[in-house]
Amino acid sequence: MLLDLIGDRRVVFFGGKGGVGKTTVASAAALALASRGRRVLLVSTDPAHNQGHLWDRRIGDRTVAVAERLDVVEIDPARTTDEHLAQVGETMRAMMPERLRGEVDKHLRLAAQAPGTHEAAVLERIAGIVTDDARDYDHVIVDTAPSGHTARLMALPELMAAWTDGLLDRRARSEKLSAAVRGLSPTGKDTVAGRAEDPVDRRDRRLRRILLARRERFTALRETLADPDRCVFFLVLAAERLPVLETVEFHAELTASGVRVGGCVVNRRSPADQGEFLARRHDLEEGFLAQLRTELPGLPVVQLPLEAGDITGHEALERFAVRL
Ligand SMILES: Nc1ncnc2c1ncn2[C@@H]1O[C@H](COP(=O)(O)OP(=O)(O)OP(=O)(O)O)[C@@H](O)[C@H]1O
Ligand SMILES: [Mg+2]
């Protein structure tokens, strides 16, 4: 059922609270799609990566093939943040007068620790993967970090694009001003920053290019996220009281940021026929499932059973994937 809900959509997100089974479900889905002949890239955005443990091998910031037609990459948040800040720094230094460069460096050192920086960096990386690398794959499956983080991530492209627009606007205004100043001088040239090969002009052009490229990347991501034919988000949860409440909130946040939720994946369902203890849990879960269905009417619900064994390695994942 889950695979039907994915259909031909290229970008598939799995999100939810910590430990509910996002990594397991995302990987099983990726494996199932690959075994049906699709080329799949599985991306982990969680700073505490688990893909390596799951596939029983080292996976890092470079794409690794773990099965036929299935590649995996773990976005390295520290490296991504460093690269991101280096670019932002270059942009900021170009915007600021020479004497403020020390301030820019100080700001960047603080920014590296600030909340939001990490998300922005990861977002920029996802944007790159979704808009560029996605060309080589039929599906990009994103195994996300626990909910709060991801909800912000989804709202972020808008904010980032607006921020970049603000900077571009400011540049446009200051360019107009310097053009006007040039027009005022008797030779038609501004003696300070006039000639075509002037370093200030060159710097401005370069800055514009950087800002426009970032803006395009965020806009492309935004468009993909908001396009229900290209992107779908699944909420993974356990059939328990708090996870159900949080899932309802998460659904509202995603919908508000224009992301289509394709369904809920209720993982680790207790069996009804394996003794009284589990049967009682099963009944309890039924109640929470009913609540989920009432709160999110019409949203497909996929149920996956609690497995007796550990789900690690290709074979275990393949067995679990049959349940999808
Ligand atoms: N249906 C299941 N039956 C039994 N064990 C499961 C099931 N689904 C997941 N697990 C196990 O639960 C643990 C947590 O799963 P997983 O790592 O997929 O969760 P997660 O949501 O990605 O966690 P995190 O938020 O830390 O990234 C793993 O050891 C996994 O093997
Ligand atoms: Mg995980």
Side-chain angles (χ1 to χ4, degrees):
M1 178 177 177
L2 184 64
L3 300 187
D4 296 333
L5 293 173
I6 292 174
D8 287 331
R9 290 178 189 87
R10 296 174 76 83
V11 183
V12 185
F13 283 88
F14 287 92
K17 260 182 84 71
V20 289
K22 298 176 294 295
T23 301
T24 310
V25 176
S27 310
L31 194 60
L33 290 166
S35 67
R36 278 165 182 70
R38 313 275 182 83
R39 291 161 306 164
V40 184
L41 176 64
L42 178 58
V43 183
S44 168
T45 68
D46 190 343
H49 292 298
N50 290 318
Q51 287 293 343
H53 297 144
L54 193 62
W55 298 99
D56 238 348
R57 56 183 295 178
R58 248 185 83 82
I59 293 172
D61 205 76
R62 301 252 175 276
T63 309
V64 173
V66 291
E68 213 178 330
R69 292 179 294 274
L70 175 55
D71 293 346
V72 183
V73 62
E74 290 181 332
I75 294 179
D76 177 346
R79 196 180 126 185
T80 304
T81 306
D82 285 351
E83 283 174 8
H84 172 80
L85 285 178
Q87 243 213 1
V88 171
E90 197 182 334
T91 316
M92 282 179 72
R93 273 187 288 270
M95 304 268 311
M96 303 287 179
E98 190 89 37
R99 65 191 159 79
L100 289 181
R101 295 222 165 144
E103 288 298 312
V104 170
D105 291 339
K106 201 166 107 195
H107 172 81
L108 288 174
R109 274 196 302 278
L110 287 174
Q113 316 299 329
T117 300
H118 169 92
E119 279 113 317
V122 170
L123 184 77
E124 187 148 16
R125 190 68 195 285
I126 293 178
I129 290 175
V130 165
T131 52
D132 299 336
D133 304 0
R135 282 190 211 112
D136 301 332
Y137 297 95
D138 299 309
H139 299 280
V140 177
I141 310 261
V142 188
D143 163 26
T144 70
S147 356
H149 172 119
T150 313
R152 281 206 300 278
L153 206 75
M154 290 297 157
L156 217 54
E158 211 105 279
L159 298 178
M160 295 299 283
W163 179 76
T164 314
D165 274 353
L167 289 182
L168 280 168
D169 255 13
R170 227 184 295 165
R171 289 315 297 172
R173 275 204 302 273
S174 80
E175 273 162 28
K176 256 191 224 148
L177 190 67
S178 37
V181 169
R182 279 202 283 278
L184 285 178
S185 73
T187 57
K189 283 180 180 171
D190 172 10
T191 44
V192 184
R195 289 166 294 278
E197 278 316 298
D198 185 279
V200 176
D201 282 356
R202 230 186 359 252
R203 193 193 67 185
D204 275 1
R205 272 202 305 279
R206 199 172 131 67
L207 185 57
R208 266 196 99 73
R209 256 204 318 275
I210 295 175
L211 288 177
L212 280 172
R214 289 188 80 199
R215 206 217 172 292
E216 263 165 38
R217 223 173 299 142
F218 286 123
T219 309
L221 178 65
R222 184 75 224 129
E223 278 168 13
T224 305
L225 292 180
D227 181 350
D229 293 330
R230 279 188 287 171
C231 178
V232 63
F233 202 110
F234 292 100
L235 304 170
V236 185
L237 73 153
E240 291 165 10
R241 200 173 78 85
L242 278 179
V244 166
L245 296 177
E246 288 201 12
T247 301
V248 172
E249 270 172 34
F250 194 14
H251 178 273
E253 280 170 4
L254 287 170
T255 311
S257 49
V259 178
R260 176 173 168 269
V261 177
C264 291
V265 179
V266 180
N267 190 23
R268 293 179 206 250
R269 280 303 321 269
S270 304
D273 55 358
Q274 298 290 322
E276 200 203 332
F277 178 81
L278 286 170
R280 272 176 44 204
R281 275 224 68 88
H282 177 89
D283 289 346
L284 195 68
E285 291 167 8
E286 286 292 300
F288 294 126
L289 261 180
Q291 187 187 348
L292 182 72
R293 290 203 163 98
T294 314
E295 298 272 1
L296 303 172
L299 194 67
V301 175
V302 179
Q303 299 187 52
L304 296 172
L306 174 71
E307 297 283 317
D310 189 35
I311 314 176
T312 305
H314 193 133
E315 274 173 30
L317 272 174
E318 222 159 39
R319 273 197 303 278
F320 188 60
V322 172
R323 318 252 194 206
L324 302 176

